[in-house]
Amino acid sequence: MHMTESPRPSGAYTTDQDQDPTPYRYPYDTAYSTAYDGAAGGYPPPPPYAPDPSSYASEPPAPGHRDRRAKRPVALLAAVALAAAVIGGGTATLVGQLSDGGAGATGSTGTVQGTTVSQSSKGTVSGVAEAVSPAIVEIGAASSAGKSTGSGVVITEDGEIVTNNHVISGAQQIEVTLSTGKTYTADVVGTDPDKDLALIKLRGASGLKTASLGDSSQVKVGDQVVAIGSPEGLTGTVTSGIISALDRDVTVAKDDSGSSGENQGGGGQQWPFEFGGQQFNGDTGEKTTTYKALQTDASLNPGNSGGALINMDGEIIGINSAMYAPSSSAAGSGSTAGSVGLGFAIPVNTLKADLDTLRAGDGS
């Protein structure tokens, strides 16, 4: 068997570690250096220790002491990294709290902050529904023409609710049902028929869950959305879809003269509107208004008007206002047909710009 021969000369050291035959440098005297002299029996003794005073800020260690200072910066660096991680996490939390603005906070721009989706559920329909459903209500409006059902969005803890003007137009009494089943009587604060928006307020309410108003200017075609409302009087119904178009010109009636409203159960006419030069769901009448709408294929049905169109972060991006449905004769049935994937919502930025006017009642 072939053995690898050691190049060690006869009589050389037999310990595990060879003496280094390279020049030796004394650790505390950078000027001392000599070569190993085998004939003389090893290294010559070093000269007396005489460190350079300028190389140390404090008293040098005794001869033979191993200098450990080289390792300290490493430990310090690890500690600093840990501290930075802790401080960074705290900063992120603080920034999040500041950007949230607190539940129910309202700025001068009309921005409203409220319930948000938990981080673990963000981006899911179930997460959005769980977070926002408590802020969506059913509105029952009674008038001489009968009773109509719509939806609304709670924006303050003491019961300010945004809805469509056509949901409460001409109402003599308004009753609101929360997601918990609790009911309140509401009063009209302000309306803006030109934008089909209205603001009502519950009597004696406090501590309500509020919705967070987002930014509709950031909405893109193809964005996933969730719609929550009370279609056919079924409170808290959740549907989902995408934004299928932007800036659609939708024309609706300014008052209830052209329709008996969105009657509960779909027994009466749906709210009429015009789109693409055609009228749907009845005659819009002589007094109409046109606005730019978000188009969605999320299912909307009678009773969804005034409810919320929500992005996947749980922010309200639109107020659902109109839907297309084929006529009873076209559907081949005596009952009102449901959604066929053409629904429209008032962009939330329109609402935010109009919020101060609604609160002042100037649009009534």
Side-chain angles (χ1 to χ4, degrees):
M1 179 170 62
H2 177 72
M3 299 291 290
T4 301
E5 294 183 356
S6 170
R8 188 188 310 278
S10 177
Y13 297 106
T14 58
T15 58
D16 292 338
Q17 295 182 345
D18 292 339
Q19 295 292 331
D20 188 355
T22 59
Y24 173 79
R25 184 176 297 279
Y26 191 63
Y28 300 113
D29 186 0
T30 57
Y32 176 73
S33 176
T34 187
Y36 173 77
D37 188 348
Y43 292 99
Y49 172 64
D52 181 1
S54 65
S55 64
Y56 295 94
S58 58
E59 183 178 349
H65 173 75
R66 295 184 64 185
D67 190 359
R68 298 177 181 271
R69 290 179 303 165
K71 295 183 179 180
R72 291 177 186 171
V74 177
L76 180 60
L77 179 60
V80 171
L82 177 61
V86 173
I87 293 172
T91 303
T93 302
L94 179 60
V95 170
Q97 291 172 346
L98 292 177
S99 63
D100 285 346
T106 305
S108 58
T109 59
T111 301
V112 176
Q113 298 292 340
T115 305
T116 56
V117 182
S118 65
Q119 196 64 36
S120 60
S121 300
K122 187 167 288 189
T124 66
V125 174
S126 60
V128 171
E130 181 181 8
V132 185
S133 287
I136 310 302
V137 301
E138 177 184 315
I139 299 175
S143 68
S144 58
K147 183 179 180 181
S148 63
T149 300
S151 305
V153 180
V154 181
I155 61 171
T156 64
E157 294 180 352
D158 61 350
E160 282 189 344
I161 295 173
V162 174
T163 187
N164 287 138
N165 176 64
H166 75 255
V167 170
I168 54 87
S169 177
Q172 298 166 341
Q173 183 178 359
I174 301 173
E175 187 177 80
V176 174
T177 304
L178 305 184
S179 62
T180 60
K182 187 173 182 178
T183 61
Y184 288 89
T185 298
D187 299 309
V188 176
V189 176
T191 63
D192 191 340
D194 288 334
K195 297 179 181 177
D196 195 19
L197 291 170
L199 183 69
I200 63 175
K201 182 155 184 204
L202 306 184
R203 297 178 186 174
S206 63
L208 302 184
K209 296 289 186 180
T210 62
S212 178
L213 304 186
D215 182 359
S216 53
S217 70
Q218 300 301 311
V219 174
K220 300 185 294 296
V221 172
D223 284 352
Q224 288 185 294
V225 290
V226 174
I228 306 179
S230 300
E232 312 292 354
L234 301 174
T235 305
T237 296
V238 177
T239 58
S240 65
I242 63 167
I243 295 293
S244 52
L246 304 174
D247 299 326
R248 294 297 199 196
D249 287 324
V250 173
T251 301
V252 299
K254 276 192 174 186
D255 52 39
D256 62 350
S257 60
S259 171
S260 59
E262 295 181 351
N263 293 62
Q264 185 171 352
Q269 290 181 321
Q270 301 164 44
W271 185 252
F273 74 98
E274 297 177 11
F275 169 67
Q278 301 181 48
Q279 290 191 348
F280 300 97
N281 307 335
D283 185 4
T284 55
E286 296 179 356
K287 297 180 179 180
T288 61
T289 184
T290 302
Y291 55 81
K292 299 287 186 180
L294 303 174
Q295 180 180 307
T296 179
D297 67 351
S299 179
L300 302 180
N301 291 282
N304 269 115
S305 281
L309 190 66
I310 312 156
N311 66 19
M312 301 310 288
D313 288 331
E315 299 170 331
I316 311 299
I317 57 169
I319 302 299
N320 298 323
S321 57
M323 53 155 285
Y324 164 75
S327 65
S328 298
S329 58
S333 170
S335 63
T336 303
S339 171
V340 292
L342 283 176
F344 303 93
I346 300 168
V348 75
N349 285 7
T350 301
L351 166 63
K352 291 195 292 186
D354 203 31
L355 203 49
D356 289 341
T357 300
L358 292 172
R359 283 177 170 147
D362 295 340
S364 298

